[in-house]
mmCIF file of all heavy atoms in Angstrom:
data_model
loop_
_atom_site.group_PDB
_atom_site.id
_atom_site.type_symbol
_atom_site.label_atom_id
_atom_site.label_comp_id
_atom_site.label_asym_id
_atom_site.label_seq_id
_atom_site.Cartn_x
_atom_site.Cartn_y
_atom_site.Cartn_z
ATOM 1 N N TYR A 58 0.845 -1.198 0.000
ATOM 2 C CA TYR A 58 0.000 0.000 0.000
ATOM 3 C C TYR A 58 0.884 1.253 0.000
ATOM 4 O O TYR A 58 2.037 1.227 0.429
ATOM 5 C CB TYR A 58 -0.889 0.029 1.247
ATOM 6 C CG TYR A 58 -1.857 -1.127 1.339
ATOM 7 C CD1 TYR A 58 -1.440 -2.366 1.821
ATOM 8 C CD2 TYR A 58 -3.185 -0.988 0.944
ATOM 9 C CE1 TYR A 58 -2.322 -3.443 1.907
ATOM 10 C CE2 TYR A 58 -4.075 -2.053 1.028
ATOM 11 C CZ TYR A 58 -3.638 -3.272 1.506
ATOM 12 O OH TYR A 58 -4.504 -4.331 1.578
ATOM 13 N N VAL A 59 0.284 2.344 -0.460
ATOM 14 C CA VAL A 59 0.904 3.659 -0.321
ATOM 15 C C VAL A 59 -0.082 4.536 0.428
ATOM 16 O O VAL A 59 -1.275 4.561 0.108
ATOM 17 C CB VAL A 59 1.258 4.291 -1.680
ATOM 18 C CG1 VAL A 59 1.877 5.669 -1.474
ATOM 19 C CG2 VAL A 59 2.200 3.394 -2.465
ATOM 20 N N ALA A 60 0.387 5.242 1.449
ATOM 21 C CA ALA A 60 -0.475 6.114 2.248
ATOM 22 C C ALA A 60 0.269 7.403 2.566
ATOM 23 O O ALA A 60 0.883 7.547 3.621
ATOM 24 C CB ALA A 60 -0.913 5.409 3.531
ATOM 25 N N ASP A 61 0.276 8.304 1.621
ATOM 26 C CA ASP A 61 0.851 9.635 1.814
ATOM 27 C C ASP A 61 0.301 10.537 0.718
ATOM 28 O O ASP A 61 -0.587 10.130 -0.047
ATOM 29 C CB ASP A 61 2.389 9.588 1.803
ATOM 30 C CG ASP A 61 2.971 8.972 0.530
ATOM 31 O OD1 ASP A 61 2.329 9.062 -0.534
ATOM 32 O OD2 ASP A 61 4.074 8.390 0.608
ATOM 33 N N ALA A 62 0.817 11.748 0.606
ATOM 34 C CA ALA A 62 0.267 12.698 -0.368
ATOM 35 C C ALA A 62 0.543 12.295 -1.807
ATOM 36 O O ALA A 62 -0.047 12.865 -2.725
ATOM 37 C CB ALA A 62 0.817 14.096 -0.104
ATOM 38 N N SER A 63 1.398 11.301 -2.021
ATOM 39 C CA SER A 63 1.652 10.862 -3.401
ATOM 40 C C SER A 63 0.448 10.183 -4.019
ATOM 41 O O SER A 63 0.385 10.027 -5.235
ATOM 42 C CB SER A 63 2.872 9.925 -3.455
ATOM 43 O OG SER A 63 2.584 8.643 -2.936
ATOM 44 N N VAL A 64 -0.558 9.770 -3.227
ATOM 45 C CA VAL A 64 -1.739 9.114 -3.792
ATOM 46 C C VAL A 64 -2.811 10.116 -4.187
ATOM 47 O O VAL A 64 -3.848 9.712 -4.748
ATOM 48 C CB VAL A 64 -2.341 8.060 -2.830
ATOM 49 C CG1 VAL A 64 -1.284 7.058 -2.405
ATOM 50 C CG2 VAL A 64 -3.011 8.697 -1.624
ATOM 51 N N PHE A 65 -2.617 11.411 -3.930
ATOM 52 C CA PHE A 65 -3.631 12.391 -4.319
ATOM 53 C C PHE A 65 -3.908 12.274 -5.823
ATOM 54 O O PHE A 65 -2.963 12.244 -6.627
ATOM 55 C CB PHE A 65 -3.166 13.814 -4.029
ATOM 56 C CG PHE A 65 -3.127 14.207 -2.570
ATOM 57 C CD1 PHE A 65 -3.258 13.265 -1.558
ATOM 58 C CD2 PHE A 65 -2.953 15.535 -2.217
ATOM 59 C CE1 PHE A 65 -3.209 13.632 -0.218
ATOM 60 C CE2 PHE A 65 -2.901 15.923 -0.890
ATOM 61 C CZ PHE A 65 -3.033 14.966 0.119
ATOM 62 N N PRO A 66 -5.176 12.257 -6.225
ATOM 63 C CA PRO A 66 -5.497 12.184 -7.663
ATOM 64 C C PRO A 66 -5.059 13.424 -8.439
ATOM 65 O O PRO A 66 -4.814 13.360 -9.643
ATOM 66 C CB PRO A 66 -7.022 12.042 -7.671
ATOM 67 C CG PRO A 66 -7.360 11.493 -6.327
ATOM 68 C CD PRO A 66 -6.371 12.117 -5.385
ATOM 69 N N SER A 67 -4.986 14.560 -7.769
ATOM 70 C CA SER A 67 -4.475 15.805 -8.354
ATOM 71 C C SER A 67 -4.111 16.698 -7.178
ATOM 72 O O SER A 67 -4.134 16.259 -6.023
ATOM 73 C CB SER A 67 -5.527 16.462 -9.266
ATOM 74 O OG SER A 67 -6.691 16.826 -8.539
ATOM 75 N N ALA A 68 -3.782 17.951 -7.446
ATOM 76 C CA ALA A 68 -3.390 18.853 -6.366
ATOM 77 C C ALA A 68 -4.562 19.088 -5.418
ATOM 78 O O ALA A 68 -5.707 19.238 -5.844
ATOM 79 C CB ALA A 68 -2.899 20.175 -6.939
ATOM 80 N N SER A 69 -4.269 19.145 -4.128
ATOM 81 C CA SER A 69 -5.324 19.297 -3.122
ATOM 82 C C SER A 69 -5.881 20.712 -3.054
ATOM 83 O O SER A 69 -7.001 20.919 -2.600
ATOM 84 C CB SER A 69 -4.794 18.899 -1.740
ATOM 85 O OG SER A 69 -3.722 19.738 -1.354
ATOM 86 N N GLY A 70 -5.094 21.699 -3.473
ATOM 87 C CA GLY A 70 -5.570 23.080 -3.432
ATOM 88 C C GLY A 70 -5.466 23.725 -2.068
ATOM 89 O O GLY A 70 -5.651 24.929 -1.937
ATOM 90 N N VAL A 71 -5.204 22.941 -1.034
ATOM 91 C CA VAL A 71 -4.948 23.451 0.315
ATOM 92 C C VAL A 71 -3.699 22.763 0.845
ATOM 93 O O VAL A 71 -3.266 21.746 0.293
ATOM 94 C CB VAL A 71 -6.133 23.182 1.274
ATOM 95 C CG1 VAL A 71 -7.346 24.009 0.907
ATOM 96 C CG2 VAL A 71 -6.478 21.693 1.316
ATOM 97 N N ASN A 72 -3.143 23.302 1.922
ATOM 98 C CA ASN A 72 -1.997 22.648 2.553
ATOM 99 C C ASN A 72 -2.352 21.173 2.747
ATOM 100 O O ASN A 72 -3.388 20.851 3.319
ATOM 101 C CB ASN A 72 -1.697 23.315 3.888
ATOM 102 C CG ASN A 72 -1.531 24.816 3.736
ATOM 103 O OD1 ASN A 72 -2.479 25.515 3.410
ATOM 104 N ND2 ASN A 72 -0.341 25.312 3.950
ATOM 105 N N PRO A 73 -1.523 20.251 2.274
ATOM 106 C CA PRO A 73 -1.967 18.857 2.119
ATOM 107 C C PRO A 73 -2.049 18.029 3.388
ATOM 108 O O PRO A 73 -2.506 16.886 3.337
ATOM 109 C CB PRO A 73 -0.925 18.268 1.158
ATOM 110 C CG PRO A 73 0.283 19.125 1.306
ATOM 111 C CD PRO A 73 -0.219 20.501 1.630
ATOM 112 N N MET A 74 -1.635 18.553 4.554
ATOM 113 C CA MET A 74 -1.554 17.714 5.753
ATOM 114 C C MET A 74 -2.874 17.028 6.088
ATOM 115 O O MET A 74 -2.923 15.808 6.287
ATOM 116 C CB MET A 74 -1.097 18.543 6.952
ATOM 117 C CG MET A 74 -1.095 17.756 8.263
ATOM 118 S SD MET A 74 -0.418 18.673 9.663
ATOM 119 C CE MET A 74 -1.592 20.014 9.827
ATOM 120 N N ILE A 75 -3.964 17.775 6.179
ATOM 121 C CA ILE A 75 -5.233 17.202 6.630
ATOM 122 C C ILE A 75 -5.768 16.205 5.606
ATOM 123 O O ILE A 75 -6.246 15.115 5.965
ATOM 124 C CB ILE A 75 -6.256 18.315 6.916
ATOM 125 C CG1 ILE A 75 -5.747 19.235 8.030
ATOM 126 C CG2 ILE A 75 -7.611 17.713 7.293
ATOM 127 C CD1 ILE A 75 -5.452 18.544 9.339
ATOM 128 N N THR A 76 -5.689 16.534 4.322
ATOM 129 C CA THR A 76 -6.126 15.610 3.278
ATOM 130 C C THR A 76 -5.303 14.330 3.320
ATOM 131 O O THR A 76 -5.832 13.217 3.217
ATOM 132 C CB THR A 76 -5.994 16.272 1.894
ATOM 133 O OG1 THR A 76 -6.717 17.494 1.886
ATOM 134 C CG2 THR A 76 -6.535 15.367 0.800
ATOM 135 N N ASN A 77 -4.000 14.477 3.484
ATOM 136 C CA ASN A 77 -3.085 13.341 3.582
ATOM 137 C C ASN A 77 -3.485 12.431 4.745
ATOM 138 O O ASN A 77 -3.620 11.206 4.604
ATOM 139 C CB ASN A 77 -1.661 13.888 3.764
ATOM 140 C CG ASN A 77 -0.590 12.819 3.827
ATOM 141 O OD1 ASN A 77 -0.853 11.626 3.783
ATOM 142 N ND2 ASN A 77 0.650 13.250 3.947
ATOM 143 N N MET A 78 -3.678 13.022 5.905
ATOM 144 C CA MET A 78 -4.019 12.244 7.092
ATOM 145 C C MET A 78 -5.367 11.549 6.947
ATOM 146 O O MET A 78 -5.539 10.398 7.374
ATOM 147 C CB MET A 78 -4.014 13.151 8.324
ATOM 148 C CG MET A 78 -2.630 13.584 8.770
ATOM 149 S SD MET A 78 -2.715 14.650 10.236
ATOM 150 C CE MET A 78 -1.029 14.502 10.845
ATOM 151 N N ALA A 79 -6.341 12.257 6.376
ATOM 152 C CA ALA A 79 -7.672 11.667 6.220
ATOM 153 C C ALA A 79 -7.638 10.463 5.284
ATOM 154 O O ALA A 79 -8.282 9.437 5.540
ATOM 155 C CB ALA A 79 -8.651 12.718 5.708
ATOM 156 N N ILE A 80 -6.886 10.563 4.189
ATOM 157 C CA ILE A 80 -6.761 9.432 3.269
ATOM 158 C C ILE A 80 -6.031 8.279 3.942
ATOM 159 O O ILE A 80 -6.415 7.108 3.803
ATOM 160 C CB ILE A 80 -6.050 9.870 1.976
ATOM 161 C CG1 ILE A 80 -6.932 10.860 1.195
ATOM 162 C CG2 ILE A 80 -5.713 8.663 1.101
ATOM 163 C CD1 ILE A 80 -6.272 11.448 -0.024
ATOM 164 N N ALA A 81 -4.975 8.591 4.700
ATOM 165 C CA ALA A 81 -4.251 7.544 5.430
ATOM 166 C C ALA A 81 -5.143 6.892 6.474
ATOM 167 O O ALA A 81 -5.048 5.679 6.726
ATOM 168 C CB ALA A 81 -3.005 8.138 6.091
ATOM 169 N N ASP A 82 -6.015 7.681 7.077
ATOM 170 C CA ASP A 82 -6.968 7.139 8.041
ATOM 171 C C ASP A 82 -7.862 6.102 7.366
ATOM 172 O O ASP A 82 -8.076 5.003 7.890
ATOM 173 C CB ASP A 82 -7.807 8.284 8.615
ATOM 174 C CG ASP A 82 -8.765 7.835 9.706
ATOM 175 O OD1 ASP A 82 -8.292 7.443 10.782
ATOM 176 O OD2 ASP A 82 -9.991 7.872 9.472
ATOM 177 N N MET A 83 -8.367 6.436 6.196
ATOM 178 C CA MET A 83 -9.212 5.510 5.449
ATOM 179 C C MET A 83 -8.447 4.254 5.032
ATOM 180 O O MET A 83 -8.905 3.125 5.239
ATOM 181 C CB MET A 83 -9.779 6.213 4.210
ATOM 182 C CG MET A 83 -10.616 5.331 3.293
ATOM 183 S SD MET A 83 -9.665 4.474 1.977
ATOM 184 C CE MET A 83 -9.225 5.846 0.910
ATOM 185 N N ILE A 84 -7.263 4.432 4.467
ATOM 186 C CA ILE A 84 -6.485 3.286 3.980
ATOM 187 C C ILE A 84 -6.114 2.354 5.125
ATOM 188 O O ILE A 84 -6.259 1.135 5.031
ATOM 189 C CB ILE A 84 -5.219 3.788 3.245
ATOM 190 C CG1 ILE A 84 -5.612 4.461 1.923
ATOM 191 C CG2 ILE A 84 -4.253 2.627 2.978
ATOM 192 C CD1 ILE A 84 -4.449 5.153 1.217
ATOM 193 N N SER A 85 -5.647 2.915 6.233
ATOM 194 C CA SER A 85 -5.188 2.070 7.341
ATOM 195 C C SER A 85 -6.339 1.339 8.013
ATOM 196 O O SER A 85 -6.172 0.188 8.466
ATOM 197 C CB SER A 85 -4.419 2.911 8.365
ATOM 198 O OG SER A 85 -5.207 3.962 8.876
ATOM 199 N N ARG A 86 -7.490 1.951 8.085
ATOM 200 C CA ARG A 86 -8.640 1.252 8.663
ATOM 201 C C ARG A 86 -9.040 0.068 7.783
ATOM 202 O O ARG A 86 -9.438 -0.995 8.290
ATOM 203 C CB ARG A 86 -9.802 2.218 8.870
ATOM 204 C CG ARG A 86 -9.553 3.198 10.003
ATOM 205 C CD ARG A 86 -10.647 4.237 10.181
ATOM 206 N NE ARG A 86 -10.234 5.187 11.197
ATOM 207 C CZ ARG A 86 -10.397 4.995 12.513
ATOM 208 N NH1 ARG A 86 -10.976 3.893 12.957
ATOM 209 N NH2 ARG A 86 -9.982 5.907 13.375
ATOM 210 N N GLY A 87 -8.909 0.239 6.471
ATOM 211 C CA GLY A 87 -9.173 -0.880 5.570
ATOM 212 C C GLY A 87 -8.165 -2.003 5.733
ATOM 213 O O GLY A 87 -8.519 -3.196 5.728
ATOM 214 N N ILE A 88 -6.887 -1.638 5.894
ATOM 215 C CA ILE A 88 -5.843 -2.650 6.104
ATOM 216 C C ILE A 88 -6.080 -3.392 7.415
ATOM 217 O O ILE A 88 -5.941 -4.622 7.493
ATOM 218 C CB ILE A 88 -4.450 -1.986 6.100
ATOM 219 C CG1 ILE A 88 -4.143 -1.387 4.728
ATOM 220 C CG2 ILE A 88 -3.366 -2.994 6.485
ATOM 221 C CD1 ILE A 88 -2.896 -0.518 4.702
ATOM 222 N N GLY A 89 -6.429 -2.653 8.455
ATOM 223 C CA GLY A 89 -6.685 -3.278 9.744
ATOM 224 C C GLY A 89 -7.820 -4.277 9.681
ATOM 225 O O GLY A 89 -7.735 -5.373 10.265
ATOM 226 N N LYS A 90 -8.873 -3.926 8.963
ATOM 227 C CA LYS A 90 -10.003 -4.848 8.821
ATOM 228 C C LYS A 90 -9.578 -6.100 8.068
ATOM 229 O O LYS A 90 -9.945 -7.223 8.424
ATOM 230 C CB LYS A 90 -11.154 -4.153 8.100
ATOM 231 C CG LYS A 90 -12.426 -4.988 7.987
ATOM 232 C CD LYS A 90 -13.541 -4.206 7.319
ATOM 233 C CE LYS A 90 -14.839 -5.021 7.314
ATOM 234 N NZ LYS A 90 -14.710 -6.327 6.677
#
């Protein structure tokens, strides 16, 4: 898996920290399940 800002489909348009974390939150919860 990849879980960082490199998976963004395009530019986030805002400072990427929160978007990055939210996507990682989703990915990791799926991995845990």
Side-chain angles (χ1 to χ4, degrees):
Y58 298 81
V59 179
D61 56 28
S63 74
V64 306
F65 288 12
S67 62
S69 62
V71 291
N72 307 66
M74 175 175 64
I75 299 302
T76 305
N77 182 358
M78 288 180 161
I80 293 175
D82 184 68
M83 177 270 290
I84 290 172
S85 58
R86 289 176 186 276
I88 295 170
K90 184 177 184 304

